Amino acid sequence: MSDEIIIKTEYSDVMQKSYIDYAMSVIVSRALPDVRDGLKPVQRRTLYDMHELGIRSDRPYRKCARIVGDTMGKYHPHGDSSIYEALVVMSQAFKKGLPLVDGHGNFGSIEGDGAAAMRYTEARLQKVSEQALLADLDKDIVDFVPNFDETEKEPGVLPARIPHLLINGAEGIAVGMSTSIPPHNLGETIEAMKAYMKNPKLTLEELMKIMPGPDFPTGGIVVNKDELTEIYRTGSGKIKIRGKVEVEKVKGGKEQLVITEIPYTMIGANIGKFLNDIGTLVETKKTTDIVDITNQSSKEGIRIVLELRKGADTEQLTNMLYKKTRLEDTFGVNMLAVADGRPETLGLIPIFDHVIDFQFELNTRKYKTLLNKELDKKEIQEGLIKACDVIDLIIEILRGSRDLKMAKACLMSGRTEGIHFKSEKSKKQAAKLNFTERQATAILEMRLYRLIGLEIEALMKEHDTTMKNIARYSGILSNYDEMAKVIIKELEQFQKNYGVPRKTVIENGREAVFVEKKVEEMPVVFLMDRFGYCRTVDVPTYERNKEAADSESRHVIFCKNTDRICVFSNNGKLHTVKVLDLPFGKFRDKAFPIDNYSNFDSGQEQMLCVVSMEELLASRLLFVTRQGMTKVVSGQEYDVRTRTSVATKLGEGDQVLFVALLGASMQLVLRSGDGYFLRFAAEEIPEKKKAAVGVRAMKLSDTDSLEEAYLFEKGTELCIIYKEKEVALQKLKLAGRDQKGTKIRV
């Protein structure tokens, strides 16, 4: 009989429980920082591994590959890339106000350049990491937990002596939640924490007079000061930050705008995007005042220079940059951290409460360990001092004993059996001895040089020091205020050693007001050649060059500069492009592919119909697909502002063959691949919505499909060449929709 037990359960219940377990594991064990030390597990493990490897600030740098491999093998089995990325970020001064790692080599740049491979770079701990995060780990100050395979021990939390979560901030994405905590100034944060320790009744408003808000490593300006109090009360909200723009005078009476600080959110690839956005503003003629853009940023700092025309309105331009680019951005605050083992959104005061409680816990454990060590020393010292007074008797016991066990028993409990004494008096004195086991062991291990007078004197002084330490440690442990003084003194030392001036300005900035110049509406002519290269010219220019323009262009469309050009493609999509975005100028100016200004992909799509939005809205549109479906759609259905939208619904494997504006009294001729021609009146095709597939236009065999469609006004003479034979379309038999048609014999 089998011992297996089959448990029947709902699959959905098992999945739900498993996913919740996985989500909590990601939240607590990987993605979110602990409120006590402000570190995510990968950061904590990397720093601890460097500490264990002895890669201190006063030691040589070591290869990052060694650090990453050791961390992954011992503590963090989740891949080397996450460990190296954490190591790199902890060394980048433009991301962390207080870098924890001292990197040597290429550790990336503020403009988004990645760090070199870890086999090339080297690193070691910063001094502040050793002093503020890793000190006293040998004093039973935090709990150690087994690593993933229970072969090593790692700290569950580092003994952080500073409010690191606030100082360096944090970012992380978990399952169903994320954290985003801005960095703060070390000196201000410690000052606020000290004030709160001295007076726990301080209000949030009073604390924010000391630390008014975030301090980003990139500087910048926070412009919504009045909203910060509520953000720090609830732990969530949006901080509005701007880059710093300065106006510099240059030769010739001109001025230039210089961006010397950027928003924290612009770090990385967003700097390149910002420069592209400025270029777009110039190309689209949103401004004509910017002559040139140069990025002169270096290791010394950010310097992006915009050269301006003489007499340019610098205030208007600055406001345009704030409104139209990421020079003004929002930093979404969500101060989510692991507190008491679970994720919690915390305001400023709750964070301080958790950090201060942790400081008292750390110091209680530290001073208990130190006190116990001093008590052990006191016991041994008192034993040695007492032994010095009866050293002759102890020597007599040692010489008269058969073995170590007998001598130790005599020292501890006065047992004299079996020991040979010189006199009865010595025996009686020996019977009174009552050293502790530690004292007896220390006496038996004592070297003879300790009997020198100076050594005995040093022992007495050492004992006095021990007694003072015991009194001090006991006082700290038994008195809350004394321990608070110790913590505050330690915080003041960090403040003195590592405090730096604030970089970010906090103010109530005025709303950036930028009024776009209203575009003067004018008629233009859109020209596109057979390769899809397009441009616009004014009407007089077109009329002067009409013959060349008509012969060289596949599409010539009269429209307004405020209009849109609509492009229908064979995959059933409608692409629109603003006429204002297209190049405008002289007839022989360079044209550019329409792909540059829309989502149309000339490599993947065919262009079937090009029309202005104004004309489209006043017309009806005819669609024919390769599988023989057709319909008419009102142009009003395409009144869209998106760059790409669905123009028609297609059956599986179908494509649009023909799209055209439909006029009155028009006829349609369809030709299939097998050579069948069908001519019928276009008015037979019903009007449908753009989301409809349509109706059948022509009966086709399973292997046949439509190859061509021709739309012309009734009475028009139109001839085509089909397999070297001329076919007059208007002379084909006039039939009805949804028929097989006539086969042309060749």
Side-chain angles (χ1 to χ4, degrees):
M1 186 176 175
S2 175
D3 293 334
E4 290 181 1
I5 299 173
I6 298 173
I7 300 172
K8 291 186 178 180
T9 183
E10 280 288 332
Y11 187 68
S12 59
D13 293 342
V14 174
M15 288 298 293
Q16 185 177 353
K17 183 181 182 304
S18 300
Y19 191 76
I20 289 171
D21 291 345
Y22 160 73
M24 286 307 295
S25 172
V26 171
I27 288 163
V28 175
S29 303
R30 291 179 74 173
L32 299 187
D34 193 297
V35 69
R36 296 170 293 177
D37 63 4
L39 296 169
K40 292 191 279 190
V42 64
Q43 297 169 322
R44 185 181 303 120
R45 288 164 175 167
T46 305
L47 292 173
Y48 177 66
D49 187 74
M50 293 176 75
H51 174 76
E52 285 295 285
L53 289 173
I55 312 174
R56 315 288 168 78
S57 59
D58 55 351
R59 308 261 181 93
Y61 294 95
R62 297 283 286 277
K63 284 287 184 188
C64 289
R66 169 67 195 276
I67 299 166
V68 171
D70 204 61
T71 304
M72 184 166 60
K74 288 182 179 177
Y75 310 116
H76 196 76
H78 300 296
D80 56 356
S81 59
S82 62
I83 300 170
Y84 186 50
E85 186 180 339
L87 182 71
V88 167
V89 170
M90 287 192 289
S91 73
Q92 292 175 329
F94 53 85
K95 283 190 179 176
K96 299 290 182 185
L98 186 69
L100 304 177
V101 171
D102 180 7
H104 184 244
N106 176 13
F107 274 79
S109 75
I110 194 170
E111 294 183 23
D113 302 314
M118 57 186 163
R119 62 182 178 272
Y120 300 120
T121 54
E122 299 177 332
R124 64 184 178 190
L125 287 170
Q126 290 277 14
K127 194 172 183 179
V128 67
S129 303
E130 298 169 23
Q131 296 178 345
L133 297 174
L134 295 159
D136 298 327
L137 277 169
D138 58 338
K139 295 183 175 64
D140 188 33
I141 197 167
V142 291
D143 292 331
F144 277 71
V145 295
N147 69 338
F148 62 93
D149 61 0
E150 299 189 356
T151 58
E152 302 276 347
K153 292 276 190 180
E154 60 174 306
V157 63
L158 291 187
R161 306 307 176 82
I162 55 175
H164 179 251
L165 182 70
L166 290 170
I167 291 168
N168 264 342
E171 286 183 2
I173 300 173
V175 179
M177 56 182 67
S178 64
T179 185
S180 180
I181 304 172
H184 296 79
N185 185 271
L186 181 141
E188 291 177 357
T189 309
I190 288 178
E191 193 63 40
M193 183 169 157
K194 281 160 47 185
Y196 187 61
M197 286 180 68
K198 291 173 183 175
N199 181 11
K201 293 181 180 179
L202 280 178
T203 64
L204 180 62
E205 288 77 9
E206 289 170 327
L207 280 175
M208 290 191 66
K209 288 178 182 176
I210 303 170
M211 55 172 295
D215 185 25
F216 297 104
T218 54
I221 307 164
V222 171
V223 294
N224 58 336
K225 182 179 180 181
D226 287 346
E227 296 174 21
L228 295 182
T229 304
E230 191 59 26
I231 291 172
Y232 284 104
R233 191 186 312 284
T234 61
S236 62
K238 290 183 178 179
I239 295 173
K240 192 181 287 186
I241 47 177
R242 290 177 180 170
K244 190 175 180 184
V245 182
E246 296 177 354
V247 180
E248 292 182 357
K249 294 193 180 296
V250 290
K251 291 179 181 178
K254 295 181 181 179
E255 292 179 321
Q256 62 184 22
L257 292 181
V258 181
I259 297 152
T260 55
E261 293 175 10
I262 59 172
Y264 187 62
T265 51
M266 202 194 278
I267 289 173
N270 285 326
I271 293 180
K273 188 177 183 306
F274 168 68
L275 296 173
N276 287 336
D277 287 345
I278 296 176
T280 302
L281 290 174
V282 175
E283 284 177 13
T284 56
K285 297 182 173 56
K286 290 285 193 305
T287 177
T288 55
D289 289 335
I290 298 175
V291 176
D292 193 20
I293 315 163
T294 53
N295 186 359
Q296 300 174 9
S297 304
S298 63
K299 289 182 179 180
E300 281 67 46
I302 292 290
R303 183 176 169 84
I304 298 170
V305 180
L306 308 183
E307 293 182 30
L308 309 179
R309 295 186 192 279
K310 192 171 182 179
D313 187 340
T314 54
E315 186 178 353
Q316 172 78 345
L317 272 175
T318 303
N319 286 338
M320 182 189 71
L321 294 177
Y322 287 148
K323 277 290 187 184
K324 297 290 184 181
T325 71
R326 295 191 70 167
L327 194 62
E328 177 176 292
D329 208 353
T330 53
F331 181 95
V333 177
N334 186 27
M335 299 205 287
L336 185 73
V338 176
D340 299 324
R342 61 189 182 88
E344 190 177 342
T345 301
L346 303 163
L348 184 63
I349 288 179
I351 289 176
F352 276 145
D353 286 334
H354 282 288
V355 172
I356 291 167
D357 287 346
F358 184 53
Q359 296 307 307
F360 276 92
E361 181 190 333
L362 291 178
N363 281 277
T364 299
R365 291 181 65 159
K366 173 184 174 180
Y367 285 106
K368 274 185 179 176
T369 302
L370 291 174
L371 178 61
N372 290 333
K373 284 183 179 179
E374 293 299 316
L375 289 172
D376 291 345
K377 282 166 67 178
K378 170 179 173 280
E379 181 184 345
I380 292 168
Q381 288 165 356
E382 287 177 346
L384 292 176
I385 290 167
K386 184 178 173 184
C388 288
D389 293 337
V390 290
I391 192 64
D392 293 334
L393 176 62
I394 291 171
I395 292 170
E396 195 173 333
I397 292 168
L398 293 174
R399 295 186 69 181
S401 300
R402 286 197 308 273
D403 54 33
L404 186 65
K405 186 178 178 182
M406 184 181 287
K408 191 171 184 179
C410 181
L411 291 172
M412 289 173 62
S413 55
R415 289 170 59 185
T416 58
E417 296 84 358
I419 300 176
H420 176 70
F421 290 94
K422 290 182 180 179
S423 64
E424 193 65 29
K425 182 181 177 183
S426 296
K427 189 174 182 180
K428 287 180 181 180
Q429 286 178 332
K432 295 176 183 178
L433 295 175
N434 61 345
F435 290 102
T436 65
E437 185 176 0
R438 277 204 188 97
Q439 289 174 337
T441 302
I443 290 166
L444 293 171
E445 292 175 352
M446 183 175 68
R447 297 185 178 184
L448 288 175
Y449 80 85
R450 298 296 298 270
L451 299 175
I452 298 169
L454 288 175
E455 286 294 324
I456 295 171
E457 193 177 320
L459 180 62
M460 298 293 286
K461 285 182 180 177
E462 193 180 326
H463 181 251
D464 288 342
T465 303
T466 300
M467 294 305 292
K468 287 177 184 175
N469 286 340
I470 289 170
R472 179 169 169 261
Y473 298 156
S474 300
I476 291 170
L477 288 167
S478 61
N479 190 310
Y480 177 93
D481 291 337
E482 284 299 315
M483 187 172 285
K485 284 180 184 176
V486 170
I487 295 170
I488 287 171
K489 186 177 179 183
E490 202 170 48
L491 287 170
E492 286 173 344
Q493 195 60 45
F494 285 120
Q495 196 176 1
K496 179 183 175 183
N497 292 343
Y498 303 107
V500 292
R502 164 174 280 280
K503 293 179 179 177
T504 302
V505 175
I506 295 179
E507 63 184 25
N508 283 314
R510 289 185 303 163
E511 181 72 22
V513 178
F514 170 65
V515 180
E516 288 191 49
K517 292 179 182 176
K518 194 170 181 180
V519 177
E520 187 178 340
E521 191 173 270
M522 62 178 282
V524 294
V525 181
F526 169 82
L527 304 173
M528 181 192 289
D529 64 19
R530 61 194 178 93
F531 301 108
Y533 281 70
C534 58
R535 65 193 189 281
T536 60
V537 295
D538 58 26
V539 176
T541 300
Y542 167 74
E543 289 175 346
R544 285 196 303 271
N545 301 274
K546 186 176 185 307
E547 188 177 337
D550 291 348
S551 63
E552 294 171 9
S553 303
R554 184 178 176 184
H555 297 283
V556 177
I557 298 172
F558 287 81
C559 57
K560 292 186 179 129
N561 60 345
T562 53
D563 203 351
R564 285 171 176 260
I565 298 297
C566 302
V567 177
F568 291 88
S569 69
N570 64 324
N571 58 7
K573 290 182 180 178
L574 165 62
H575 301 285
T576 67
V577 57
K578 291 179 181 178
V579 175
L580 280 171
D581 290 346
L582 299 170
F584 174 80
K586 297 176 182 177
F587 180 68
R588 288 300 175 191
D589 281 356
K590 188 177 179 183
F592 293 91
I594 198 164
D595 305 41
N596 293 8
Y597 308 98
S598 67
N599 292 334
F600 179 78
D601 185 352
S602 56
Q604 303 291 326
E605 299 176 86
Q606 287 180 304
M607 199 180 300
L608 300 180
C609 179
V610 181
V611 62
S612 72
M613 179 67 78
E614 186 178 10
E615 189 177 6
L616 176 62
L617 294 177
S619 308
R620 295 192 306 155
L621 210 59
L622 170 67
F623 287 88
V624 180
T625 75
R626 289 194 176 275
Q627 290 179 0
M629 304 304 290
T630 186
K631 67 177 177 181
V632 174
V633 182
S634 169
Q636 292 291 329
E637 290 209 34
Y638 299 105
D639 189 7
V640 294
R641 289 288 174 264
T642 53
R643 292 184 68 170
T644 302
S645 61
V646 176
T648 183
K649 185 177 181 180
L650 291 170
E652 187 176 348
D654 202 1
Q655 280 191 331
V656 179
L657 170 69
F658 181 79
V659 183
L661 296 179
L662 187 62
S665 302
M666 301 197 84
Q667 292 186 348
L668 181 67
V669 173
L670 304 176
R671 178 180 69 79
S672 75
D674 289 345
Y676 286 90
F677 283 75
L678 177 65
R679 172 181 164 224
F680 61 92
E683 61 193 27
E684 291 188 37
I685 303 170
E687 187 170 312
K688 299 279 186 181
K689 296 290 184 185
K690 68 177 182 180
V693 174
V695 296
R696 193 161 63 178
M698 182 178 182
K699 286 181 181 177
L700 298 167
S701 66
D702 292 342
T703 58
D704 201 4
S705 64
L706 290 184
E707 294 289 334
E708 292 288 350
Y710 307 95
L711 185 69
F712 53 90
E713 286 186 15
K714 185 179 177 181
T716 304
E717 292 187 6
L718 183 64
C719 293
I720 64 160
I721 302 298
Y722 174 64
K723 292 188 177 180
E724 299 182 359
K725 181 178 180 179
E726 187 178 278
V727 179
L729 297 182
Q730 75 278 7
K731 291 182 180 179
L732 291 170
K733 178 185 174 183
L734 183 63
R737 180 183 64 80
D738 196 20
Q739 294 187 22
K740 191 170 183 180
T742 305
K743 185 159 186 175
I744 301 293
R745 304 291 178 183
V746 292

